[in-house]
Amino acid sequence: VGEKTIAILGDGGCGTSLALLLDGKGHHVRLWGAFPDYIARLRRSRVNSKYLPGVRLKRSIELTASLPEAVAGADVIVMAVPIRYFTPVAKRLAKCYSGRTPVLSATKGIAERSLKRPSQILRDVLGDAPIAVLSGPMHAEEIARGRPTIVALASRNRRLAGRLQEVFVTPTFRVYTNTDVAGVELGGALKNVIGIAAGMCDGLGLGDNAKSALLTRGLAEIRRLAVRMGARAETFAGLSGIGDLLTTSISPHGRNRRAGEQIGRGRSLREVLASTEMTIEGVWTCKAVHSLARRYGIEMPISEQVYQILFRRKDPRRAVIALMTRLPRSESERKRQ
Amino acid sequence: VGEKTIAILGDGGCGTSLALLLDGKGHHVRLWGAFPDYIARLRRSRVNSKYLPGVRLKRSIELTASLPEAVAGADVIVMAVPIRYFTPVAKRLAKCYSGRTPVLSATKGIAERSLKRPSQILRDVLGDAPIAVLSGPMHAEEIARGRPTIVALASRNRRLAGRLQEVFVTPTFRVYTNTDVAGVELGGALKNVIGIAAGMCDGLGLGDNAKSALLTRGLAEIRRLAVRMGARAETFAGLSGIGDLLTTSISPHGRNRRAGEQIGRGRSLREVLASTEMTIEGVWTCKAVHSLARRYGIEMPISEQVYQILFRRKDPRRAVIALMTRLPRSESERKRQ
């Protein structure tokens, strides 16, 4: 595989970890961030102290706050901005986007207002550009440290998926291709809400039996919605479904899980959001899920309780225990809900 | 629901936690153990210090080492002995079993020599008795302390399943019924081998990305074998599939996970087995899985590596890292293996 020039848009944990991975593989990496002051600080310190502390960014990684400079002549463009900034950044990209450069979204989430997936937003602003998505159990802290990771890369264009797979794959970063773009994106987005619920379970001290049951039912409800939205059910048995849900829900570092844990212990959403520089994607995705569940007429008891706790000040203990202790029914009835 | 007389065969963690649950609900519980000396000790101390320390057994729970005494006139018989002792205890039960008493197996495993599931062994020795099985994410330590738990209860006889559901259900112990007896039993048995692998991942310090990917692929391989053996695939998306795999693999208390963790840190199987009074079910199930995978011609890469590590002294680090870093393929190719 030849050496490529790769523009990564977004200097958060995800974008920075992919920059380290690709730079380590010998590609020429440009990492773009929206804030010139922060980029200047990164250039001096070579450590992304806010979003990925403790890891050195080699000099070979170019840092820039100019989007046109980042993407000029790039062979691949990676979108790694939080979902809240995805649409505006995609629009800025459209202004300097030329021709047929592959664009890979590593963003997990659903736009709060338009309810669109990242690849749908890219389609809207870039037309028929070659588009793919990357998702799966991929905590940035572990990728940055070379821990073994296996992810899913999806595109309707199989050849594009195969080419991008070759760009990313290393002995410890394995990439499986997939054609279910909607499933891979929805798994990565919706699991963050269940990850918050799993954290609440931890914060309330309910135990591992309860947490495992909650994750089982959580996976079932996000799959129900996703299938209704066009995803394939089997994708949720894979890396971008259960795999990603697991790493989000079991890792002590998972920010969605940790936010849920703090709320389970009695802190308010406002306090939790104020305590971190990181984006808690699940909080914003939760609003989108609430709207999607209504639009598609899907019952999502866990996501709905997370919504009530986060935005309607419902008591977490009452809500989570109510979820666990509903009337007995058969497993298949539960699934038919 | 009326008060029942329930004989629980097996005074390990599982049997004891179910005795506490059913006694708390007002049933008349008899707990049987094979060793008269240990039963005498339990009668004096009212604490099962070997298998469920820290929890008091009320006087209302009858303790006996006489199997005929335990089952005489019982309305329900619960089998909760380790899989290694299941066949001999079932044969002893057959000698004093009368007529139509429902027998519920809570044992998780596959008999090492006959390769039979607990309900198949019961069928062999008890003929057309009413048989059901109980499985799911149900760590005894948490059930004993009243933590919320949701389990699956399966029988081909729906009415029997419904009646047993009523016997067990409490506000914090929820029971879903299911008709896929093979799926529920195989989920509960096979997951212990993957739980050992998850523990090895922890012991080797590979991280949560790797562990989540391993669990995803582990669930896929045990489902493949189980479906080939007559189980329904969707059962593995439920409480007795992924739910049980999760609690086994994430709980610090999970004995299979913990055994794997110690082996991942360099201890030998002999040392690990010698260090505990508990049965590490996954070790014995692993041999059965090895034979079943051959018999049915199913590739089970993770279970096979666990077998090689446990019984062929293969180095865990080499084995687990090899699993994580195989050549890239598409997700569906991986599933077709």
Side-chain angles (χ1 to χ4, degrees):
Chain A
V1 188
E3 185 186 306
K4 308 274 186 200
T5 297
I6 300 167
I8 298 177
L9 309 188
D11 58 357
C14 174
T16 307
S17 70
L18 293 175
L20 288 160
L21 172 83
L22 295 165
D23 174 71
K25 215 188 150 177
H27 294 302
H28 176 197
V29 176
R30 299 175 189 153
L31 184 60
W32 171 85
F35 301 98
D37 287 357
Y38 193 66
I39 287 291
R41 199 171 117 186
L42 283 186
R43 275 215 197 96
R44 283 193 305 274
S45 69
R46 306 306 295 187
V47 176
N48 193 339
S49 51
K50 266 196 199 175
Y51 304 116
L52 196 64
V55 188
R56 214 175 151 67
L57 300 173
K58 284 206 200 131
R59 299 258 155 224
S60 45
I61 298 175
E62 243 181 87
L63 296 159
T64 175
S66 158
L67 206 149
E69 199 183 294
V71 303
D75 299 304
V76 178
I77 298 167
V78 177
M79 289 286 286
V81 295
I83 188 67
R84 301 178 75 190
Y85 310 120
F86 197 92
T87 304
V89 171
K91 283 181 178 160
R92 285 175 65 182
L93 170 62
K95 286 193 193 128
C96 50
Y97 179 77
S98 67
R100 307 289 307 156
T101 316
V103 182
L104 177 75
S105 160
T107 296
K108 293 177 179 176
I110 294 168
E112 196 187 321
R113 226 168 304 170
S114 70
L115 300 180
K116 284 184 177 168
R117 295 181 271 111
S119 73
Q120 292 176 314
I121 297 167
L122 288 176
R123 187 68 64 216
D124 286 350
V125 302
L126 301 180
D128 66 348
I131 291 169
V133 302
L134 188 72
S135 192
M138 46 189 290
H139 272 180
E141 296 79 1
E142 298 190 358
I143 294 173
R145 286 164 179 82
R147 300 277 170 83
T149 297
I150 315 185
V151 301
L153 191 157
S155 175
R156 268 178 283 174
N157 179 337
R158 277 173 203 273
R159 259 193 43 205
L160 173 66
R163 267 161 50 214
L164 289 172
Q165 178 183 47
E166 285 181 26
V167 170
F168 280 84
V169 75
T170 78
T172 53
F173 190 84
R174 312 310 293 169
V175 180
Y176 286 106
T177 59
N178 189 313
T179 55
D180 182 16
V181 177
V184 167
E185 280 187 305
L186 288 172
L190 304 177
K191 57 93 195 185
N192 281 329
V193 182
I194 308 301
I196 292 178
M200 289 173 177
C201 211
D202 290 343
L204 292 164
L206 295 184
D208 295 314
N209 290 352
K211 185 172 175 179
S212 301
L214 183 95
L215 289 174
T216 303
R217 297 169 69 160
L219 183 68
E221 78 176 41
I222 67 180
R223 186 183 52 218
R224 269 199 304 271
L225 174 63
V227 166
R228 182 71 183 71
M229 291 173 71
R232 290 202 296 266
E234 67 258 36
T235 301
F236 286 77
L239 294 162
S240 59
I242 176 159
D244 197 4
L245 175 62
L246 282 184
T247 201
T248 297
S249 305
I250 68 178
S251 171
H253 309 299
R255 345 175 175 163
N256 292 284
R257 195 207 61 78
R258 208 169 42 203
E261 186 173 28
Q262 293 172 327
I263 290 167
R265 287 197 177 135
R267 294 182 75 181
S268 71
L269 176 60
R270 187 190 299 262
E271 284 175 292
V272 170
L273 293 179
S275 71
T276 176
E277 297 271 6
M278 308 256 191
T279 301
I280 314 292
E281 295 283 15
V283 170
W284 314 108
T285 305
C286 185
K287 287 191 180 181
V289 171
H290 182 74
S291 306
L292 287 168
R294 277 193 192 190
R295 177 190 288 185
Y296 290 102
I298 301 286
E299 239 194 89
M300 302 187 73
I302 298 173
S303 303
E304 175 60 24
Q305 291 303 315
V306 172
Y307 180 84
Q308 295 289 335
I309 294 165
L310 295 182
F311 302 111
R312 297 284 180 269
R313 299 180 160 275
K314 187 161 181 178
D315 175 56
R317 176 168 294 273
R318 243 171 30 116
V320 175
I321 291 178
L323 273 175
M324 299 298 300
T325 55
R326 297 194 305 170
L327 286 176
R329 274 177 290 199
S330 76
E331 276 211 284
S332 52
E333 270 182 287
R334 182 173 58 78
K335 277 188 205 126
R336 271 202 298 275
Q337 277 185 341
Chain B
V1 187
E3 184 186 308
K4 307 273 186 201
T5 297
I6 300 167
I8 299 177
L9 309 187
D11 58 357
C14 174
T16 307
S17 70
L18 293 177
L20 288 160
L21 173 82
L22 294 166
D23 174 70
K25 213 188 151 178
H27 294 302
H28 177 199
V29 177
R30 297 175 190 155
L31 184 60
W32 172 85
F35 300 99
D37 288 357
Y38 193 65
I39 287 292
R41 200 171 116 185
L42 283 186
R43 273 214 198 98
R44 283 192 305 273
S45 69
R46 307 306 296 188
V47 176
N48 195 338
S49 51
K50 267 196 198 175
Y51 304 116
L52 197 63
V55 187
R56 215 174 151 66
L57 300 174
K58 284 205 200 135
R59 298 259 155 221
S60 45
I61 298 175
E62 242 180 89
L63 295 160
T64 176
S66 158
L67 206 150
E69 198 182 296
V71 302
D75 299 305
V76 177
I77 298 167
V78 177
M79 289 286 286
V81 295
I83 187 68
R84 300 178 75 191
Y85 310 120
F86 197 93
T87 304
V89 171
K91 283 181 177 160
R92 285 175 67 184
L93 170 63
K95 285 192 194 131
C96 50
Y97 178 77
S98 66
R100 306 290 307 156
T101 316
V103 182
L104 177 75
S105 161
T107 296
K108 293 177 179 177
I110 294 168
E112 195 186 320
R113 226 167 305 169
S114 69
L115 300 181
K116 285 185 176 167
R117 296 181 272 111
S119 72
Q120 292 175 313
I121 298 168
L122 288 176
R123 186 69 62 213
D124 285 351
V125 301
L126 301 180
D128 65 348
I131 291 170
V133 301
L134 189 71
S135 192
M138 45 189 288
H139 272 179
E141 297 78 359
E142 298 190 357
I143 293 172
R145 286 165 179 81
R147 300 276 170 83
T149 298
I150 316 186
V151 301
L153 191 157
S155 176
R156 271 179 282 173
N157 179 338
R158 277 174 205 272
R159 259 194 42 203
L160 173 65
R163 266 161 50 212
L164 290 172
Q165 180 184 46
E166 285 182 26
V167 169
F168 280 85
V169 74
T170 76
T172 53
F173 190 83
R174 312 310 293 173
V175 180
Y176 286 106
T177 60
N178 189 312
T179 55
D180 182 14
V181 176
V184 167
E185 280 187 305
L186 289 170
L190 305 176
K191 57 92 196 185
N192 281 329
V193 182
I194 308 303
I196 292 178
M200 289 172 177
C201 210
D202 290 343
L204 292 164
L206 294 183
D208 295 314
N209 291 351
K211 185 173 176 179
S212 301
L214 183 95
L215 290 175
T216 303
R217 295 170 69 160
L219 183 68
E221 78 176 42
I222 67 179
R223 186 182 51 219
R224 270 199 303 272
L225 174 62
V227 167
R228 181 72 183 71
M229 291 174 72
R232 290 201 296 266
E234 68 258 36
T235 301
F236 288 77
L239 294 162
S240 58
I242 177 162
D244 197 5
L245 175 62
L246 282 184
T247 201
T248 297
S249 305
I250 68 178
S251 170
H253 309 298
R255 353 178 169 160
N256 292 285
R257 194 207 62 77
R258 208 169 43 203
E261 185 173 30
Q262 292 172 330
I263 290 166
R265 288 197 178 136
R267 295 182 75 180
S268 72
L269 175 60
R270 187 191 298 262
E271 283 175 292
V272 170
L273 292 179
S275 71
T276 175
E277 296 271 6
M278 309 256 193
T279 302
I280 313 292
E281 295 284 15
V283 171
W284 314 108
T285 305
C286 185
K287 287 192 179 180
V289 171
H290 182 73
S291 306
L292 287 168
R294 277 193 192 188
R295 176 189 288 185
Y296 290 102
I298 302 287
E299 241 193 87
M300 302 188 72
I302 297 173
S303 304
E304 176 59 24
Q305 291 303 316
V306 173
Y307 180 85
Q308 296 288 335
I309 294 165
L310 295 181
F311 303 111
R312 296 285 178 269
R313 299 181 161 277
K314 185 159 181 180
D315 175 54
R317 176 168 295 274
R318 244 172 27 116
V320 175
I321 290 177
L323 274 176
M324 300 298 301
T325 55
R326 298 193 304 170
L327 286 175
R329 275 176 289 198
S330 76
E331 275 212 282
S332 52
E333 268 180 288
R334 183 173 57 80
K335 278 191 203 121
R336 272 202 298 275
Q337 276 184 347

